[in-house]
């Protein structure tokens, strides 16, 4: 389990202007073992962040990725795990370097997840 001080690094990454501008406005909720999202004061876990001890980050997308999206992420050297149908999430794993400098392909997929969760056309 990460300490609150270590979680601050994740908050800086996820609340950066680049991510909010690209994906959409959201804040973090660190009350669970994972880091969830809050929009307008309500839980909106369209993405869930799960930091690991080695500095990597697992992101669970509330989205079933298409084959083209999986290929796009794979070509960007992002590890895409199998869709978990029970939890209805598509997990991806970022390395420490990718967390510090998120690839554009990842930001595009996060935007799709945000839009689909809130049914934005």
């Amino acid at each position: 389990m990460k300490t609150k001080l270590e979680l601050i690094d994740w908050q800086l990454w996820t609340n950066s202007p680049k991510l909010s501008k690209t994906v959409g406005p959201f804040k973090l909720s660190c009350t669970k073992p994972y880091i969830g999202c809050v929009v307008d004061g309500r839980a909106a876990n369209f993405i869930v962040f799960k930091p690991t001890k080695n500095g990597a980050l697992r992101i669970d997308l509330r989205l079933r990725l298409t084959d083209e999206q999986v290929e796009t992420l794979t070509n960007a050297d992002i590890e895409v795990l199998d869709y978990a149908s029970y939890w209805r999430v598509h997990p991806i794993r970022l390395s420490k370097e990718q967390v510090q400098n998120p690839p554009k392909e990842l930001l595009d997929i996060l935007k799709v997840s945000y839009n689909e969760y809130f049914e934005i056309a």
Side-chain angles (χ1 to χ4, degrees):
M1 188 72 181
K2 296 278 188 183
T3 65
K4 290 289 182 183
L5 183 60
E6 291 170 312
L7 290 176
I8 291 171
D9 291 336
W10 299 109
Q11 287 179 333
L12 290 174
W13 182 76
T14 56
N15 285 331
S16 71
K18 180 180 180 181
L19 191 63
S20 291
K21 184 178 178 184
T22 306
V23 176
F26 67 91
K27 295 188 181 191
L28 295 179
S29 171
C30 302
T31 59
K32 306 274 185 191
Y34 57 86
I35 302 171
C37 298
V38 175
V39 175
D40 295 329
R42 295 181 49 200
N45 292 328
F46 61 96
I47 49 175
V48 173
F49 301 93
K50 297 180 178 179
T52 62
K53 291 182 180 181
N54 65 359
L57 179 67
R58 177 179 157 159
I59 299 176
D60 289 347
L61 299 168
R62 210 41 91 195
L63 169 74
R64 187 176 199 129
L65 296 174
T66 64
D67 292 338
E68 294 82 22
Q69 291 170 325
V70 170
E71 186 177 338
T72 300
L73 291 173
T74 305
N75 290 340
D77 293 328
I78 297 173
E79 184 181 357
V80 180
L81 306 172
D82 291 335
Y83 180 76
S85 57
Y86 180 78
W87 299 105
R88 295 188 324 225
V89 297
H90 212 132
I92 58 175
R93 192 173 301 147
L94 301 179
S95 68
K96 193 174 186 177
E97 296 77 28
Q98 291 169 325
V99 169
Q100 293 169 351
N101 188 18
K104 182 191 178 310
E105 295 84 359
L106 173 66
L107 297 177
D108 293 341
I109 296 296
L110 295 180
K111 173 83 173 161
V112 170
S113 181
Y114 182 90
N115 290 343
E116 194 167 300
Y117 186 86
F118 294 104
E119 297 178 3
I120 299 172

